[in-house]
């Protein structure tokens, strides 16, 4: 019995010292957040190459950034944080696809598309070449620091320019994305 009492006393002593262990180190981290202004993007005007003949498509039809604004594609950015560095990316197919061929006895070719684009903070003024996108294929990118809370991206380009069988209505989507840098 004395052995049992000694054993229980030893176990109680071990239990007491085991629960009183101290921390050997301590560290902390900081929680943080950077809240930015939401940018509202609106597609204002489609890039419209108009009606052309098959020969025009073979030769290529241009819409220059210095041309009539009514033909240019146009995006409007609202609520851009002034003085912020932003990255703008444009993405489009390298050819427009036919959506409704005119002649059922022919298979129309895809219509080659090559884009140009520029950023402007003045409505109706496509930038003058100072904020032009750089393109690889039809994937374009531009980094700018904003100076206004409203801005515009104007899109021009060329369709056609190579021989093909072009009849019908052609289309393709051009997508603009904006990211704070």
């Amino acid at each position: 019995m004395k052995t049992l009492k000694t054993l229980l006393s030893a176990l109680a002593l071990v239990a007491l010292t085991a629960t009183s262990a101290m921390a050997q180190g301590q560290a902390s981290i900081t929680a943080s957040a950077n809240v930015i202004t939401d940018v509202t993007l609106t597609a204002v005007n489609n890039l419209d190459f108009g009606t052309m003949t098959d020969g025009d498509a073979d030769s290529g039809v241009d819409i220059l950034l210095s041309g009539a604004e009514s033909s240019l594609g146009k995006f409007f950015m609202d609520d851009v944080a002034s003085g912020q560095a932003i990255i703008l990316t444009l993405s489009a197919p390298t050819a427009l696809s036919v959506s409704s061929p005119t002649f059922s006895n022919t298979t129309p070719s895809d219509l080659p598309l090559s884009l140009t684009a520029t950023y402007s903070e003045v409505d109706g003024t496509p930038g003058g070449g100072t904020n032009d996108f750089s393109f690889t294929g039809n994937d374009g990118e531009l980094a700018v620091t904003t100076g206004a809370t409203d801005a515009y991206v104007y899109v021009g380009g060329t369709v056609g320019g190579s021989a093909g069988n072009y009849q019908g209505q052609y289309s393709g989507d051009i997508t603009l994305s904006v990211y704070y840098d």
Side-chain angles (χ1 to χ4, degrees), residues 49-164:
F49 290 93
T51 302
M52 65 185 81
T53 66
D54 191 40
D56 292 337
D58 287 342
S59 299
V61 174
D62 297 321
I63 294 182
L64 303 175
L65 292 173
S66 60
E69 185 182 349
S70 61
S71 297
L72 291 169
K74 181 179 177 183
F75 293 96
F76 172 61
M77 295 180 290
D78 193 17
D79 300 326
V80 179
S82 182
Q84 287 289 317
I86 59 174
I87 305 284
L88 301 119
T89 61
L90 268 176
S91 178
T94 56
L96 301 179
S97 300
V98 68
S99 57
S100 59
T102 305
F103 303 107
S104 60
N105 61 346
T106 61
T107 302
S109 305
D110 286 343
L111 189 61
L113 173 67
S114 178
L115 294 180
T116 58
T118 192
Y119 168 89
S120 177
E121 294 179 350
V122 180
D123 190 15
T125 307
T130 57
N131 289 310
D132 291 347
F133 282 68
S134 61
F135 281 92
T136 302
N138 277 339
D139 293 325
E141 183 173 294
L142 175 67
V144 296
T145 300
T146 61
T149 58
D150 293 344
Y152 305 86
V153 171
Y154 292 93
V155 182
T158 302
V159 291
S162 62

Side-chain angles (χ1 to χ4, degrees), residues 11-46:
L11 287 173
L13 184 59
V14 168
L16 284 174
T17 58
T19 59
S20 63
M22 300 294 280
Q24 296 297 313
Q26 186 175 11
S28 62
I29 60 172
T30 301
S32 63
N34 183 17
V35 180
I36 57 175
T37 305
D38 289 333
V39 175
T40 304
L41 292 175
T42 306
V44 176
N45 198 45
N46 292 321

